[in-house]
Amino acid sequence: MLAASGRRLAASHRFAATRALSAAGEQYDVVVIGGGPGGYVAAIKASQLGLKTACVESRGTLGGTCLNVGCIPSKALLHSSHLYEEATSHFKVHGIDCGDVTVDLDQMMANKSKSVDSLTGGIELWKPVAPPRFLFKKYKVDYLQGHGTITGPNSVAVALNDGGSEAVESKNILIATGSEPSPLPPCPVDNAGGKIVDSTGALVLDKIPKTMAVVGGGVIGLEMGSVWRRLGTKVTVVEYLGNIVPGVDKEVGKAFLRVLKKQGMKFKLNTGVVASEVVDGGVELTHAPAKDPSKETTDRFDVVLVATGRRPFTDKLGLDALGIETDKLGRVVVDEHFKTKIPSIYAFGDVVDGPMLAHKAEEEGIACVESIAGFAGHVNYDVIPGVIYTHPELATAGKTEEQLKDEGVDYVVGSFPFSANSRARAVGDSEGLVKVLCDKATDRILGVHIIGPNAGEMIAEGVLGMEYGASSEDIARTCHAHPTLSEAMKEACMAASSQPIHF
């Protein structure tokens, strides 16, 4: 450990010297194109390692889709709508009578916007104490507001938002341009019209629709559908596949579907959208069974949310001119160190293969920069958590049963329901379960899947355990505070390694 620390310190001094030399000229060590979770984190890390760094972002605010029109605003609305549902449906159980509870949608949206502004601004503006300081300025990252086009192995042309332009030279160029909603031709999105919207439009509806169709049973559709269902909208999810949240452990996915149906969401599975038409006051949506497209049915909805996934955003980056390869889905092809076929150009995050998650982009951005700086940057893709922030939440990490079967791995299952957890029962929030998958021979944890309150927080214990090669017995023998929801994780691990106590 001391030797490693010494190498890191030496490297830090070396790159500090490099930075001092490059600062005298015009060339950067690193230019990051894209200021989303992967891009701005990579820029900060690069500067921390002593590299002269610039970040190019055209949006006008940092944070990318996640902070501006994705993770953060949707979570703000999910929380607000959850509080409303608690007040209207569950407070009386606790002896709290709020009378006639109403929704002030304008205030709810204002609160959401305040959250976004504080966080996107926080990347630029950092003020733990007065006087205020810019976060990028703190780490000496140059921020270029404009659209970046790669014009050579070491050059970027920036069309600045103010109408000007700037040519930037860099030893290394990092592509972190993220993703955008995938279009659905039978259902063209017009966010300005407010009738057929994507995830961005669903965040700014100016009134609560009576009915909404959500096309797509994935994360975005279920989260945004939950927001509006809680506020009184009748939500119908139209999904082409026979199950929701594809890729999730099937047993867990089926349990999740039952929970959402119980809450009032309707589902049309194995159903494809054929056409749509915006009419007076709503949308006529034509759909048909996936196996028999001739049997068309048309339903009318106030709003249709198209949530059929996302695609890499590479518009006007200049990839074709440079011969940088993309796959059939438009993702930039990179090696294990995030390099494209041009050694000085890298890519990571949503724009490359893998789950389109903010935290995955952050990990890749840091690993990419560490590799450039001479360290062993690494991402363990086997333990990247995924969370759906409905209520209850669904959180998952590692292998599913289906994957283990396909790989021929002998495994054991340990599960424990929240209905047998003291804390969940005491607060009246006991839907769901914890499911743990372990190697039969070694007891090593291979996958953790949770439906329940605070599942997104609880999954961290499973991720940490898998990162360090823990067995189910390791967690089963670790003392957990009582009464807590985390005891369900302990008991699921007890079920895998021996036998649970409370079920």
Side-chain angles (χ1 to χ4, degrees):
M1 288 297 291
L2 289 174
S5 297
R7 287 196 299 272
R8 292 190 180 192
L9 186 60
S12 177
H13 286 311
R14 182 171 73 251
F15 284 106
T18 301
R19 177 175 190 149
L21 290 172
S22 61
E26 296 182 354
Q27 189 181 54
Y28 287 97
D29 296 310
V30 171
V31 167
V32 184
I33 303 178
Y40 83 76
V41 166
I44 290 172
K45 187 64 177 180
S47 191
Q48 288 175 341
L49 292 174
L51 304 174
K52 180 175 173 60
T53 305
C55 182
V56 181
E57 170 58 56
S58 62
R59 188 186 293 271
T61 54
L62 294 168
T65 294
C66 176
L67 266 68
N68 287 274
V69 290
C71 315
I72 299 306
S74 65
K75 301 313 163 282
L77 289 182
L78 279 161
H79 182 64
S80 295
S81 61
H82 176 64
L83 292 178
Y84 173 71
E85 187 170 56
E86 286 289 291
T88 55
S89 303
H90 304 296
F91 274 11
K92 287 186 178 180
V93 174
H94 300 280
I96 304 170
D97 190 344
C98 298
D100 187 17
V101 180
T102 59
V103 174
D104 183 340
L105 188 61
D106 289 341
Q107 175 57 35
M108 190 177 288
M109 292 295 180
N111 179 66
K112 172 209 67 177
S113 297
K114 182 179 178 182
S115 300
V116 171
D117 292 343
S118 66
L119 287 169
T120 55
I123 301 166
E124 301 170 55
L125 184 64
W126 179 74
K127 48 179 181 180
V129 293
R133 299 169 61 191
F134 285 97
L135 185 56
F136 266 13
K137 286 185 178 179
K138 174 187 176 184
Y139 292 110
K140 298 181 175 60
V141 176
D142 290 341
Y143 176 26
L144 304 177
Q145 295 192 36
H147 187 284
T149 300
I150 305 172
T151 54
N154 302 102
S155 58
V156 178
V158 183
L160 298 171
N161 290 351
D162 63 9
S165 62
E166 188 168 341
V168 181
E169 295 294 316
S170 179
K171 295 176 184 176
N172 302 283
I173 298 170
L174 279 54
I175 300 170
T177 47
S179 60
E180 62 182 351
S182 296
L184 182 65
C187 223
V189 168
D190 176 18
N191 285 329
K195 293 301 178 185
I196 301 179
V197 300
D198 58 19
S199 55
T200 300
L203 289 166
V204 294
L205 295 179
D206 58 6
K207 63 180 181 180
I208 300 170
K210 291 183 179 179
T211 58
M212 173 184 284
V214 175
V215 184
V219 178
I220 295 172
L222 297 178
E223 286 188 353
M224 292 311 303
S226 290
V227 166
W228 294 105
R229 179 201 62 76
R230 293 169 186 169
L231 299 179
T233 303
K234 294 181 179 179
V235 175
T236 300
V237 178
V238 182
E239 169 57 53
Y240 188 79
L241 300 177
N243 56 284
I244 60 172
V245 287
V248 168
D249 184 276
K250 283 189 177 180
E251 180 189 22
V252 173
K254 288 178 181 178
F256 190 50
L257 178 61
R258 287 194 297 270
V259 170
L260 295 178
K261 283 183 175 180
K262 187 176 177 181
Q263 292 176 352
M265 270 194 191
K266 293 183 179 179
F267 291 86
K268 292 181 182 293
L269 303 179
N270 295 303
T271 302
V273 171
V274 177
S276 62
E277 182 181 1
V278 177
V279 295
D280 237 3
V283 182
E284 289 186 348
L285 189 70
T286 302
H287 51 86
K291 294 182 179 179
D292 190 356
S294 64
K295 294 183 179 179
E296 296 183 358
T297 302
T298 299
D299 293 318
R300 186 184 177 104
F301 299 94
D302 291 339
V303 175
V304 172
L305 165 59
V306 178
T308 49
R310 299 181 65 84
R311 64 182 182 183
F313 180 76
T314 57
D315 187 42
K316 298 178 182 177
L317 260 180
L319 301 183
D320 291 341
L322 291 167
I324 293 177
E325 185 182 358
T326 57
D327 64 18
K328 62 181 181 180
L329 297 178
R331 300 173 298 196
V332 179
V333 177
V334 295
D335 66 12
E336 65 273 18
H337 300 296
F338 309 104
K339 283 186 181 180
T340 67
K341 65 180 295 184
I342 298 177
S344 59
I345 300 178
Y346 301 74
F348 55 85
D350 285 6
V351 81
V352 303
D353 188 19
M356 291 184 172
L357 298 168
H359 43 281
K360 177 254 196 186
E362 290 183 18
E363 295 298 314
E364 288 184 331
I366 289 175
C368 178
V369 168
E370 286 179 335
S371 295
I372 290 171
F375 301 122
H378 173 68
V379 178
N380 184 355
Y381 290 99
D382 288 335
V383 293
I384 293 177
V387 184
I388 302 178
Y389 295 92
T390 50
H391 190 88
E393 295 176 349
L394 187 156
T396 182
K399 301 291 187 179
T400 66
E401 277 203 68
E402 290 68 41
Q403 289 173 324
L404 293 177
K405 288 175 182 176
D406 289 343
E407 295 170 9
V409 176
D410 286 334
Y411 65 93
V412 295
V413 180
S415 64
F416 189 82
F418 279 103
S419 59
N421 174 265
S422 300
R423 179 66 179 274
R425 290 291 295 272
V427 300
D429 202 356
S430 58
E431 289 274 15
L433 76 159
V434 177
K435 178 178 180 179
V436 177
L437 303 171
C438 305
D439 185 281
K440 189 172 184 178
T442 66
D443 192 34
R444 182 171 180 168
I445 300 171
L446 303 175
V448 177
H449 310 276
I450 308 171
I451 301 174
N454 289 347
E457 305 291 341
M458 288 182 59
I459 196 66
E461 181 177 11
V463 171
L464 186 64
M466 287 187 285
E467 184 67 45
Y468 283 89
S471 66
S472 67
E473 186 177 359
D474 288 331
I475 292 181
R477 290 186 177 277
T478 299
C479 185
H480 290 60
H482 174 78
T484 60
L485 299 171
S486 67
E487 288 178 287
M489 174 74 80
K490 175 184 173 76
E491 296 254 20
C493 288
M494 292 173 70
S497 60
S498 56
Q499 194 170 351
I501 296 296
H502 294 95
F503 187 71

